[in-house]
Amino acid sequence: MYYCCIHYSLKRLTAQFEKTILWLGGCWLGALSNLTFERLPIQRLTLHDFQQPGAIFTVVAIVLTVCLIGIFQAWAFRIEGRMPQYLTLYACLGLLLIALVAIPRTNVRIHHYILALLLLPGTTLQTRPSLFYQGLLVGLFISGVARWGFDSILQTPKELFGNDYNSVIPQIDMPRIDNINNGITFSWSNIPSEYDGMSVIVNDIERFRSTEDHNESNFTWTRYKQMEAEYFRFAYVKYEILKENSVGKFTKPGTWKSDGTWIPPEQDSPE
């Protein structure tokens, strides 16, 4: 990785300030991706992920950003006269990915370290943006390998979803509604032994998560806007030692209507 990509960007580069701030700063952001990008609803780039609240918007924003970066990087390669060889490289990589997608009963999983390896050749430029992009990708590589190891690019659906593949859907008790103070309180009990708490999403934003030390059994929400329905989804949370905390499958949305009535989540076909 160093001799094929990083070497071209850092060799004989005397801009120490840029290397320190941009390259190392980007590497720091990437290496701590479990903290810096924790709130992004996309984790595995699977159909299940696209069903999470806010996932479509996140994917569109990421794709547009990557496309814009790719255009500027391609222009820089054209100026340096290296465009043909990099077009050939990425054409071969694209054909390889298409061939992998065609393999039956498996899914192509672009892990963090694989994503970094795919994009690193496009950062072999001595420009300020390229220094930041390269540092970020190296950080993602470090984070991915340190946390998950060198997982295969081909995985079965069960391997992709991990513990969430057959996760339990929460059963929420009938909430207590306070129409005077515009509040609603949810409570739950008998959390399965393999989980440690509950996550609650309100209007596509996570508003509550039980902490590992204080496993609360209720959640109270106050309506901000009068005359508007609000939507709630619930999922169990598992806290892992030295691993990323995992959230199970969310229920379909339950609706707190503007007139104060509660419509529970559908239970027959949860997401």
Side-chain angles (χ1 to χ4, degrees), residues 117-177:
L117 292 177
L118 289 174
L119 298 180
L120 270 174
T123 64
T124 55
L125 296 161
Q126 288 189 342
T127 62
R128 290 183 177 89
S130 294
L131 286 176
F132 176 76
Y133 304 150
Q134 189 174 96
L136 180 65
L137 292 174
V138 170
L140 288 175
F141 178 89
I142 295 171
S143 174
V145 173
R147 291 163 62 194
W148 298 298
F150 292 96
D151 282 351
S152 172
I153 192 173
L154 289 176
Q155 291 183 315
T156 63
K158 185 174 183 179
E159 290 174 328
L160 279 172
F161 289 115
N163 294 332
D164 299 340
Y165 186 66
N166 291 314
S167 61
V168 180
I169 302 296
Q171 300 293 325
I172 305 299
D173 300 333
M174 191 67 182
R176 186 175 68 254
I177 299 175

Side-chain angles (χ1 to χ4, degrees), residues 44-171:
R44 303 179 181 91
L45 289 178
T46 64
L47 182 60
H48 177 265
D49 271 359
F50 285 96
Q51 296 172 350
Q52 301 302 312
I56 300 298
F57 173 80
T58 302
V59 170
V60 171
I62 292 174
V63 169
L64 290 176
T65 302
V66 172
C67 288
L68 288 175
I69 292 174
I71 291 172
F72 284 110
Q73 293 297 100
W75 176 257
F77 278 117
R78 180 179 179 276
I79 293 175
E80 288 194 4
R82 292 192 286 160
M83 175 71 82
Q85 65 191 75
Y86 280 89
L87 284 178
T88 302
L89 172 63
Y90 278 104
C92 294
L93 292 176
L95 292 175
L96 177 60
L97 289 177
I98 293 174
L100 292 175
V101 170
I103 298 177
R105 294 186 295 277
T106 58
N107 293 321
V108 174
R109 169 77 192 277
I110 306 298
H111 298 278
H112 288 63
Y113 81 93
I114 295 177
L115 179 66
L117 292 177
L118 289 174
L119 298 180
L120 270 174
T123 64
T124 55
L125 296 161
Q126 288 189 342
T127 62
R128 290 183 177 89
S130 294
L131 286 176
F132 176 76
Y133 304 150
Q134 189 174 96
L136 180 65
L137 292 174
V138 170
L140 288 175
F141 178 89
I142 295 171
S143 174
V145 173
R147 291 163 62 194
W148 298 298
F150 292 96
D151 282 351
S152 172
I153 192 173
L154 289 176
Q155 291 183 315
T156 63
K158 185 174 183 179
E159 290 174 328
L160 279 172
F161 289 115
N163 294 332
D164 299 340
Y165 186 66
N166 291 314
S167 61
V168 180
I169 302 296
Q171 300 293 325

Side-chain angles (χ1 to χ4, degrees), residues 179-268:
N179 289 321
I180 297 177
N181 298 313
N182 292 315
I184 185 170
T185 300
F186 300 93
S187 60
W188 49 85
S189 58
N190 299 324
I191 292 179
S193 58
E194 63 267 28
Y195 293 99
D196 301 309
M198 183 75 71
S199 171
V200 182
I201 286 179
V202 183
N203 301 328
D204 290 343
I205 299 175
E206 186 179 44
R207 296 291 189 176
F208 172 84
R209 179 180 290 191
S210 302
T211 61
E212 188 173 7
D213 297 328
H214 302 87
N215 188 6
E216 300 93 337
S217 60
N218 60 76
F219 164 68
T220 300
W221 176 257
T222 302
R223 194 196 302 269
Y224 286 108
K225 295 183 179 180
Q226 301 303 314
M227 307 311 295
E228 284 191 11
E230 298 195 307
Y231 305 92
F232 300 80
R233 301 176 71 185
F234 306 86
Y236 291 125
V237 179
K238 175 69 175 177
Y239 294 100
E240 306 276 359
I241 299 177
L242 301 178
K243 292 183 180 180
E244 184 179 15
N245 299 332
S246 60
V247 179
K249 293 181 182 178
F250 279 91
T251 65
K252 282 194 172 183
T255 306
W256 185 23
K257 300 179 67 175
S258 58
D259 61 4
T261 58
W262 169 252
I263 301 177
E266 295 181 12
Q267 300 295 331
D268 54 343

